[in-house]
Amino acid sequence: MSKVEHEHFGTPTETRVFPNGKVEILEMAGGTVGRVTLEPGWRWSNDVKPIAGTESCEAPHFQYHVSGKLAIRMNDGQEILAGPGDVTSLPQGHDAWVVGDEPVVTVDWYGASNYAKSSE
């Protein structure tokens, strides 16, 4: 990095809206960071799978969980429940869903660039 950069999610580079959620993308410092907001009732296999066109989420993620609870099931059957203050590193091949009545907010440093982007 050779210069100071300052961005704000209030004015993202791009916003992708999908059923029960959205991802706001900031491009800076040669990379991408996303703020993902998922509403109660959101589930990847119901709300993003039709956009992605894949059987499971193929975007790897490196995320900080700001709020809400997110259940994640890997294709191999491993399950975790992530909540505020957790950091998760997820390889490709998973489903996820919001648990409870609070929206999930994560900051994703790795998988946001292609998240909820049509495969066409």
Side-chain angles (χ1 to χ4, degrees):
M1 284 190 264
S2 62
K3 66 179 181 172
V4 172
E5 293 184 58
H6 179 243
E7 299 291 340
H8 190 275
F9 278 113
T11 55
T13 306
E14 179 183 0
T15 301
R16 295 184 204 129
V17 178
F18 44 87
N20 295 309
K22 66 181 177 180
V23 60
E24 298 157 297
I25 307 291
L26 290 178
E27 293 179 4
M28 61 184 299
T32 303
V33 61
R35 177 172 65 180
V36 182
T37 304
L38 308 170
E39 298 298 329
W42 176 89
R43 186 173 185 131
W44 186 90
S45 55
N46 295 334
D47 297 321
V48 181
K49 179 179 178 176
I51 298 166
T54 57
E55 282 304 306
S56 59
C57 182
E58 295 300 319
H61 301 284
F62 182 49
Q63 299 176 316
Y64 172 72
H65 295 259
V66 178
S67 64
K69 292 187 179 181
L70 187 67
I72 302 153
R73 180 181 300 129
M74 302 305 299
N75 287 353
D76 68 5
Q78 179 182 3
E79 288 190 30
I80 61 171
L81 180 63
D86 289 343
V87 176
T88 55
S89 177
L90 306 172
Q92 296 175 318
H94 54 272
D95 192 9
W97 57 95
V98 173
V99 174
D101 296 329
E102 182 181 356
V104 167
V105 176
T106 67
V107 177
D108 193 335
W109 282 275
Y110 192 70
S113 61
N114 292 319
Y115 192 78
K117 203 173 203 178
S118 177
S119 60
E120 297 177 0

